Structure formats: C-alpha cells, structure tokens
Amino acid sequence: MKDDVMDMYIEAGRIASEIREKGAGEIRVGASYLWVVEKIEGWVQDAGAGLAFPLNVSLNEDAAHDTASRDDERVFSDGDVVKLDLGVHLDGYIADTAVTVDLGDHPLLLEASARGLDAAISIVAPGVSVGELGSAIHGEIESRGFRPIANLTGHGLDRYRIHTPPNIPNIRQNGGAVLEEGMVFAIEPFASTGTGHVSEKHRTEIFQQLAVKPVRLPSARRVLEEMRPRKGLPFSRRWLSGEKLDLALSTLARSQVIRAYPVLSDVPGSLVSQAEHTLIVTGEGCLVTTA
Ligand code: MN
Ligand code: MN
C-alpha cells in the first residue's frame, strides 16, 4: 500500500473514531432520533470528510441498516440497546466503525461483541484465515451466553467500495480466505439474545446505486442525478429532496439500478449489540484505524 493511501485511511479512521465517541454521548433517554442522526452526520461534514454511508442507528432487535427518516418522531427510551454505526471517507478511503450504547442494563451483552472484536483483532496477521477470526469471535460471545449473528459479517473495504471480499464471519468456521499484508477490512461482531439470525424488515431507508442504466421516470432520474456524487456509496431517503420518492426508489430498485438495504432484525423482543473497527493488515499484525 502506498504511503499516501495509508495516510488517508488513518486520517479517515481518526475522524471516525472521534465522532463515534462524541456521538455515543448524544444518545440519551428522551433525545430525538432524527436530531441525533443529523447532528452526528453534520460533524462528519464539518471535519471535511464524507459519509461512507448514512449514519446507522439501530435499536434493540434491529441489528443494522436503520437510520432516521425525514419525519422520524422516535426518541430514545429507557432500556434501549442502540447500535451507532458510522462510515467516514476521505477521497473514497473508508473508515467503518460501530459502538453500542446501553440505555438499559445489559453490560454483558455489550461486553460480548466488544471482546469478540478485541479477540479477533489480537490475532490478525498475514497468513491467518478468516475462519480463525470467526472462531475467536464466536468463543467470546458464546462464553457469555449469547449468540453471534451468523448471517452478518465483517468485510473488505476498497476505494468508494464498502463491501469487498473477504467476508469476516462472526461464527466458527474452518479456513476461508487467508489474510495478506495491505488488506483493509472491517470486523464487526454482533451478539444477540435472540436466534443469531437476522431477517429483513419492511422498513427501508438506505439505498445504493448498482448500475448505470437509462431511466425514463423523471423522479427516478432526479434521484440518480442527486446521488451521482456518491460514486456508488450508499445514501439515505432522508438526503433526497425531490417529490414522489417512493415511486422513484421502488422503480429504480425493481430495474436493479439501485439496491435497497432493509432494516435487518433478530426476533422481536431480542437485543443485539455490535462493535466494529476498520484495520489494515501489516507485516507483523495490524493497524486499527478507528481505535
Ligand atoms: Mn459499520
Ligand atoms: Mn461494516
């Protein structure tokens, strides 16, 4: 990896880490969900960086992919387990990081995902397989009496690309891709009191352009025009200004110009915690950019 690219990853990570910590402090009982999301996203702009994806704030059994809608009236409640997942980029070089804020009394659940992340990071080095990382995560979560979410994984990162190979499993697995010096990826264990599997909810606020195709519908053309500077990074419905957005987005999704990211949830009544860092594999081990 070239030094200037490494520097961009490190600086994006530094910004993301600082805003993650400051942002976690804004999540309090009674605070408005929309207000918190817009405030934290604003800090990223203020830092001179871009959002690699809309700020994900997912509550309780929702593991990922929720964010505020424009007219969101939700407030954080006593007992909520809140996953704050932030993506920052500098010229396309991404830092992806998450923390869980406990507005209830679930210290062991938070510890499970955090220790899973630490355990995986501690063994990252060239020659280690992603299966070994998954085994380390699984052990930490299981030993505390929870289930890792099997169908969510960490992932490689590349310039303007949020999900590239290899996937980093959160469960025990033999072998798989072998880590090499210079790889950049995010590790993100999820610990759950539920089944350890997420499924898609109806609610969808986050989208991503997949293809460039001619589109006739004027509202759909406007969406693509407005999101062109994203260069394929995910965007939020909340960021769009046009009319007839539901029709535009559903038309674009049906023709596979964009993909939808529905909220992903374990079973109702369950609680999910998450911890995530981005790292670069070095000759000896790794450098955690979002530490
Ligand atoms: Mn993330
Ligand atoms: Mn991620």
Side-chain angles (χ1 to χ4, degrees):
M1 180 183 292
K2 287 184 182 161
D3 281 354
D4 53 341
V5 170
M6 177 87 105
D7 289 347
M8 294 287 248
Y9 274 118
I10 290 170
E11 180 61 7
R14 190 191 63 76
I15 293 168
S17 170
E18 193 179 308
I19 294 176
R20 180 197 64 226
E21 293 308 301
K22 207 164 86 162
E26 296 292 327
I27 295 172
R28 291 184 283 260
V29 173
S32 151
Y33 186 100
L34 175 61
W35 185 83
V36 166
V37 167
E38 293 202 316
K39 184 166 186 170
I40 297 172
E41 288 187 350
W43 290 339
V44 176
Q45 315 285 343
D46 295 346
L51 284 154
F53 48 82
L55 182 71
N56 281 215
V57 179
S58 306
L59 304 178
N60 302 327
E61 73 261 33
D62 297 339
H65 298 168
D66 202 356
T67 191
S69 44
R70 188 184 299 280
D71 56 356
D72 216 304
E73 291 182 345
R74 289 178 287 176
V75 294
F76 297 110
S77 304
D78 192 25
D80 280 347
V81 172
V82 184
K83 277 75 62 186
L84 184 67
D85 192 337
L86 172 68
V88 166
H89 78 90
L90 286 172
D91 206 21
Y93 299 105
I94 296 169
D96 183 3
T97 185
V99 68
T100 302
V101 178
D102 182 12
L103 298 178
D105 186 19
H106 311 285
L108 203 59
L109 180 66
L110 270 66
E111 186 183 287
S113 50
R115 292 294 86 78
L117 178 58
D118 292 344
I121 287 172
S122 72
I123 59 172
V124 168
V128 172
S129 72
V130 299
E132 292 172 74
L133 304 185
S135 297
I137 292 167
H138 199 150
E140 294 291 331
I141 293 175
E142 191 174 55
S143 70
R144 290 172 175 81
F146 304 106
R147 290 196 171 98
I149 293 186
N151 59 339
L152 289 174
T153 67
H155 49 90
L157 292 160
D158 205 344
R159 194 176 182 199
Y160 287 106
R161 295 180 66 199
I162 188 72
H163 291 120
T164 65
N167 284 339
I168 315 294
N170 288 323
I171 55 169
R172 211 164 277 129
Q173 181 180 298
N174 283 326
V178 174
L179 305 180
E180 294 170 28
E181 185 173 355
M183 277 183 169
V184 183
F185 58 88
I187 304 179
E188 50 181 312
F190 292 82
S192 179
T193 65
T195 62
H197 286 267
V198 289
S199 53
E200 295 182 352
K201 266 193 179 170
H202 180 67
R203 178 177 169 82
T204 306
E205 294 294 328
I206 297 173
F207 303 85
Q208 176 179 26
Q209 187 167 359
L210 292 180
V212 179
K213 286 187 197 172
V215 176
R216 265 194 230 125
L217 187 71
S219 58
R221 294 172 75 125
R222 274 201 304 275
V223 166
L224 294 183
E225 186 67 28
E226 205 171 358
M227 289 301 112
R228 183 172 299 151
R230 299 291 300 152
K231 297 186 178 173
L233 290 172
F235 60 89
S236 167
R237 180 198 305 267
R238 171 171 44 84
W239 296 350
L240 299 167
S241 59
E243 307 260 300
K244 299 182 180 163
L245 287 176
D246 287 348
L247 177 64
L249 291 166
S250 62
T251 302
L252 289 167
R254 210 166 36 244
S255 53
Q256 296 185 312
V257 177
I258 66 171
R259 69 161 285 186
Y261 284 97
V263 175
L264 297 171
S265 309
D266 204 326
V267 289
S270 63
L271 295 172
V272 177
S273 71
Q274 176 199 17
E276 180 175 24
H277 279 309
T278 294
L279 54 91
I280 303 169
V281 182
T282 60
E284 301 288 297
C286 69
L287 189 147
V288 180
T289 66
T290 53

